[in-house]
């Protein structure tokens, strides 16, 4: 007798696409919308923070964040996210998905607002306060990864599960887009109200005092979409798979899913207890887990790790790449507010033309092509385009070829999102047992954030000019943008190779994939 015989799980596996599926996508997806907005909006305002708080009288260039401050401001949220993924992933398996779900959202809302209210008498205290709240913001965001993925996978049917989980993740694209659009609107409004000359004309007047409000507003608005869905998160019932297979409460699972599916489902408490007796639950650190899922966990962690090295180094510092090829004018030719508008416009264009379409291509095709094929295609083309940008890099920097560079750069984003950026999120929510699903997803996601931290910090230093005199103030000489892009190409190639460790999950029930339908005769 196995889990596949539990009627409540069979009903979920074969359920037709219904309104509750779309409700779940919106509720979970708005969390990801907020995650992306909060994580990526910081890259829109870091240049402004440098102008406001680190202005140097008589300098030919506007003030910029010192290397250690820039690294902290950009990276502290990623460190918090990594910690949150591990902690809330584990807690989601211990306490249940629903109980923890509201906590992560409230943490995100509070810290979004608090980070915009970062106060202090001097630059050091403002940055310290900002970093403190950005860390805890990241901690809440981290919890959203394993919980949203696990909830969606456990609610979905076999046929369209991949599309539903990918749709939740695809809300990230809209979050990045919304961040860029909102920053453009606000900076345009501020520009109209508070006229300012370029830095090279009047260094002091180029940063109006009101600019200090702009970056705060951009950060604080991240709380709004999360607050809108808080009530609905609390109203969602616990997933039947957790209630039946982990909490072993068949009556509650049947009652919850009867309401959701709008059909009568029989509670099978005796069957749940028989399953519990026959199947000895192995732990994460057991030889049984190592034998059954060790390579799977290696596959999900390594591919997510390698992807995020490339993805976050591109995303967080795309403004620097655009500056390097001359697509964004020199900072001294703009006012502080104008610079925010220009950076936001570039991010919005990339999101609109490549990031968002890439996500939704995955949603449309993941249950047709399968996870494995999409991840392989994505890594392959990311490698190709990265090398195509890197080797003839000098060619792309010439004014006539800059548009070509942007198109190629956009294609790497497209194939990241129509590829491993989506599939690395989907697969860990499908292939591990219910009692370890959230934990394993959290571990996989945390490996990704470790890659993101390496990408964000590493690229910041690596991409500096090889001539120390031409490097940004306070930075040592790096290997240059060209060599950095070659490194990222190699990273993508390794991601392609590690994809072969990840099983295909298309069209199979979660219990078949995780091996829970096989009677476990092995001990720990």
């Amino acid at each position: 007798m196995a889990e596949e015989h539990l009627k409540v799980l069979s009903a979920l596996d074969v359920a037709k696409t219904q309104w509750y599926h779309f409700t779940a996508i919106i509720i979970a997806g708005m969390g990801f919308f907020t995650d992306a907005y909060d994580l990526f909006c910081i890259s829109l305002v870091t240049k402004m923070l440098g102008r406001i708080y680190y202005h140097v009288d008589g300098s030919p260039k506007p003030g910029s964040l010192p290397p250690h401050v820039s690294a902290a401001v950009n990276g502290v949220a990623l460190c918090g996210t990594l910690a949150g993924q591990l902690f809330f992933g584990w807690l989601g398996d211990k306490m249940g998905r629903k109980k923890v779900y509201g906590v992560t959202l409230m943490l995100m809302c509070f810290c979004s607002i608090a980070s915009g209210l970062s106060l202090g008498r001097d630059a050091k205290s403002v940055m310290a306060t900002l970093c403190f709240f950005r860390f805890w913001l990241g901690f809440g965001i981290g919890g959203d990864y394993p919980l949203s993925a696990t909830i969606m996978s456990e609610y979905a049917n076999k046929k369209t599960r991949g599309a539903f989980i990918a749709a939740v993740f695809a809300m990230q694209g809209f979050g990045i887009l919304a961040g860029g659009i909102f920053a453009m609107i606000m900076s345009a409004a501020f520009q109209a109200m508070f006229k300012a000359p370029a830095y090279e004309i009047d260094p002091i007047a180029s940063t109006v005092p009101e600019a200090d409000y702009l970056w705060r507003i951009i950060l604080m608005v991240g709380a709004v979409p999360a607050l809108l869905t808080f009530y609905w998160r609390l109203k969602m019932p616990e997933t039947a798979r957790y209630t039946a297979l982990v909490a072993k409460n068949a009556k509650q699972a049947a009652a919850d899913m009867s309401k959701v599916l709008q059909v009568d489902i029989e509670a099978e408490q005796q069957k749940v207890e028989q399953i519990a007796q026959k199947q000895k639950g192995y732990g994460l650190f057991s030889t049984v887990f190592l034998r059954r899922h060790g390579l799977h966990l290696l596959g999900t962690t390594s591919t997510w790790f390698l992807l995020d090295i490339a993805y976050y180094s591109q995303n967080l510092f795309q403004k620097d790449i655009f500056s390097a090829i001359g697509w964004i004018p020199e900072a001294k030719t703009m006012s502080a507010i104008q610079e925010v508008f220009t950076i936001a416009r570039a991010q919005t264009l990339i999101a609109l033309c490549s990031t968002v379409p890439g996500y939704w291509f995955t949603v449309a095709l993941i249950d047709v092509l399968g996870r494995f094929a999409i991840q392989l295609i994505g890594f392959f083309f990311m490698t190709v385009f990265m090398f195509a940008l890197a080797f003839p890099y000098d060619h792309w920097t010439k004014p006539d070829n800059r548009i070509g560079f942007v198109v190629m750069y956009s294609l790497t984003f497209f194939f990241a999102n129509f590829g491993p950026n989506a599939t690395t999120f989907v697969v860990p929510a499908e292939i591990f047992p219910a009692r370890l699903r959230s934990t394993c997803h959290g571990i996989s996601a945390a490996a990704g954030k470790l890659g993101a931290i390496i990408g964000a910090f590493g690229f910041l230093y690596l991409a500096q000019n090889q001539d120390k005199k031409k490097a940004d103030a306070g930075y040592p000489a790096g290997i240059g943008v060209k060599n950095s892009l070659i490194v990222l190409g190699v990273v993508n190639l390794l991601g392609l190779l590690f994809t072969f460790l990840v099983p295909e999950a298309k069209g199979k029930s979660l219990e078949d994939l995780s091996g829970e339908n096989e009677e476990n005769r092995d001990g720990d």
Side-chain angles (χ1 to χ4, degrees), residues 11-242:
L12 280 168
D13 276 341
V14 299
K16 290 180 180 176
T17 300
Q18 296 174 36
W19 180 245
Y20 83 90
H21 287 122
F22 296 108
T23 308
I25 288 169
I26 292 165
I27 295 168
M30 286 312 284
F32 267 89
F33 180 97
T34 307
D35 296 351
Y37 182 100
D38 289 335
L39 281 179
F40 293 112
C41 70
I42 196 70
S43 67
L44 301 171
V45 298
T46 46
K47 296 271 193 186
M48 174 176 273
L49 291 173
R51 286 185 186 238
I52 295 170
Y53 295 104
Y54 293 91
H55 171 76
V56 178
D57 285 329
S59 171
K61 290 181 179 180
S64 60
L65 297 179
H68 65 284
V69 177
S70 179
V73 168
N74 278 305
V76 72
L78 301 178
C79 296
T81 304
L82 189 155
Q85 285 164 336
L86 292 172
F87 176 72
F88 285 114
W90 168 78
L91 205 61
D93 283 332
K94 291 294 174 192
M95 292 180 61
R97 294 44 162 142
K98 183 196 168 178
K99 284 181 183 174
V100 188
Y101 211 27
V103 177
T104 61
L105 202 68
M106 282 313 295
L107 193 58
M108 284 156 56
C109 292
F110 174 77
C111 292
S112 283
I113 295 166
S115 61
L117 295 174
S118 299
L119 302 171
R121 292 182 179 180
D122 55 18
K124 193 174 181 181
S125 55
V126 172
M127 292 302 124
T129 316
L130 176 62
C131 287
F132 175 80
F133 287 116
R134 291 281 299 170
F135 175 86
W136 290 108
L137 172 67
F139 194 70
I141 288 170
D144 229 41
Y145 276 73
L147 294 169
S148 290
T150 302
I151 285 171
M152 200 65 241
S153 74
E154 293 182 346
Y155 262 104
N157 58 45
K158 287 192 292 188
K159 190 177 177 184
T160 55
R161 186 179 59 238
F164 289 152
I165 306 171
V168 168
F169 194 62
M171 295 298 283
Q172 259 198 348
F174 289 130
I176 296 169
L177 191 63
I181 291 170
F182 183 72
M184 283 171 66
I185 292 168
M186 290 307 300
S187 54
F190 270 65
Q191 253 182 299
M193 287 188 286
F194 312 108
K195 304 287 185 189
Y199 181 88
E200 61 188 357
I201 296 170
D202 189 337
I204 301 294
S206 70
T207 305
V208 294
E210 291 81 5
D212 197 47
Y213 294 119
L214 178 59
W215 71 267
R216 296 175 186 277
I217 291 168
I218 289 170
L219 295 189
M220 289 168 74
V221 164
V224 174
L227 282 170
L228 293 175
T229 55
F230 181 68
Y231 171 77
W232 299 106
R233 272 202 185 193
L234 296 182
K235 294 285 285 181
M236 278 181 92
E238 182 57 87
T239 70
R241 286 184 159 91
Y242 182 86

Side-chain angles (χ1 to χ4, degrees), residues 23 160 168 171 259 290 308 336 361 369 372 399 438 484 497:
T23 308
T160 55
V168 168
M171 295 298 283
K259 285 180 190 172
L290 186 64
D308 273 9
F361 262 76
L369 298 177
F372 179 78
S438 179
S484 298
L497 298 175

Side-chain angles (χ1 to χ4, degrees), residues 343-409:
I343 292 166
R345 184 179 60 189
Q347 178 169 304
T348 303
L349 195 65
I350 289 292
L352 198 60
C353 297
S354 61
T355 308
V356 172
Y359 280 122
W360 291 98
F361 262 76
T362 302
V363 173
L365 296 172
I366 192 166
D367 289 310
V368 179
L369 298 177
R371 290 76 164 140
F372 179 78
I374 287 177
Q375 187 160 311
L376 216 56
I377 291 166
F379 268 129
F380 174 77
F381 281 107
M382 284 172 73
T383 307
V384 168
F385 287 120
M386 204 62 81
F387 285 146
L389 286 173
F391 290 116
Y393 181 70
D394 295 334
H395 165 81
W396 295 118
T397 56
K398 291 173 184 169
D400 293 345
N401 304 323
R402 283 173 186 162
I403 298 300
F405 181 98
V406 174
V407 170
M408 295 277 279
Y409 184 67

